[in-house]
Amino acid sequence: MFEQFGVPVCEVTYVRASDEFIFVRFRPQERFCFDSIDLAAIEIYDSLYELRHTF
Protein backbone atom coordinates (compact mmCIF):
# COMPACT_ATOMS: atom_id res chain seq x y z
CA MET A 1 0.00 0.00 0.00
CA PHE A 2 1.38 3.41 -0.97
CA GLU A 3 0.05 6.67 0.45
CA GLN A 4 0.62 10.37 -0.18
CA PHE A 5 -0.37 12.89 2.52
CA GLY A 6 -2.21 10.08 4.34
CA VAL A 7 -4.34 9.31 1.27
CA PRO A 8 -4.13 5.76 -0.14
CA VAL A 9 -2.93 6.02 -3.74
CA CYS A 10 -2.15 2.50 -4.93
CA GLU A 11 -1.38 -1.04 -3.90
CA VAL A 12 0.92 -3.70 -5.31
CA THR A 13 0.54 -7.41 -4.67
CA TYR A 14 3.00 -10.08 -5.73
CA VAL A 15 1.48 -13.37 -6.93
CA ARG A 16 4.14 -16.04 -6.55
CA ALA A 17 2.26 -18.73 -8.50
CA SER A 18 2.24 -16.66 -11.70
CA ASP A 19 5.30 -14.50 -10.88
CA GLU A 20 3.25 -11.33 -11.50
CA PHE A 21 2.81 -8.01 -9.77
CA ILE A 22 -0.77 -6.78 -9.53
CA PHE A 23 -0.93 -2.99 -9.44
CA VAL A 24 -4.16 -1.30 -8.34
CA ARG A 25 -4.58 2.47 -8.53
CA PHE A 26 -7.44 3.82 -6.42
CA ARG A 27 -8.15 7.12 -8.23
CA PRO A 28 -9.14 6.47 -10.96
CA GLN A 29 -9.82 2.80 -10.32
CA GLU A 30 -7.39 0.88 -12.51
CA ARG A 31 -5.75 -2.52 -12.34
CA PHE A 32 -2.67 -3.76 -14.21
CA CYS A 33 -0.60 -6.94 -14.19
CA PHE A 34 3.16 -6.73 -14.68
CA ASP A 35 5.82 -9.40 -15.00
CA SER A 36 8.56 -7.00 -13.85
CA ILE A 37 8.91 -5.15 -10.57
CA ASP A 38 10.47 -2.27 -12.52
CA LEU A 39 7.23 -1.66 -14.42
CA ALA A 40 5.24 -1.74 -11.18
CA ALA A 41 7.69 0.75 -9.62
CA ILE A 42 7.21 3.14 -12.54
CA GLU A 43 3.43 3.05 -12.06
CA ILE A 44 3.82 3.64 -8.31
CA TYR A 45 6.07 6.64 -8.94
CA ASP A 46 3.68 8.06 -11.56
CA SER A 47 0.68 7.65 -9.24
CA LEU A 48 2.40 9.37 -6.31
CA TYR A 49 3.71 12.14 -8.56
CA GLU A 50 0.28 12.71 -10.07
CA LEU A 51 -1.44 13.01 -6.68
CA ARG A 52 1.27 15.31 -5.32
CA HIS A 53 0.84 17.71 -8.23
CA THR A 54 -2.97 17.85 -8.22
CA PHE A 55 -3.04 20.01 -5.07
Side-chain angles (χ1 to χ4, degrees):
M1 177 78 72
F2 295 88
E3 298 178 351
Q4 185 76 37
F5 307 117
V7 176
V9 176
C10 59
E11 179 179 57
V12 177
T13 306
Y14 176 67
V15 180
R16 182 180 290 234
S18 59
D19 196 33
E20 291 182 323
F21 297 88
I22 309 298
F23 172 84
V24 178
R25 183 182 310 196
F26 299 129
R27 293 184 189 111
Q29 184 68 29
E30 296 177 315
R31 179 183 169 113
F32 302 105
C33 295
F34 298 111
D35 60 354
S36 168
I37 195 167
D38 294 333
L39 296 174
I42 291 168
E43 286 296 324
I44 293 165
Y45 177 82
D46 287 347
S47 297
L48 294 173
Y49 181 87
E50 191 175 293
L51 180 70
R52 183 181 308 133
H53 289 89
T54 57
F55 292 106

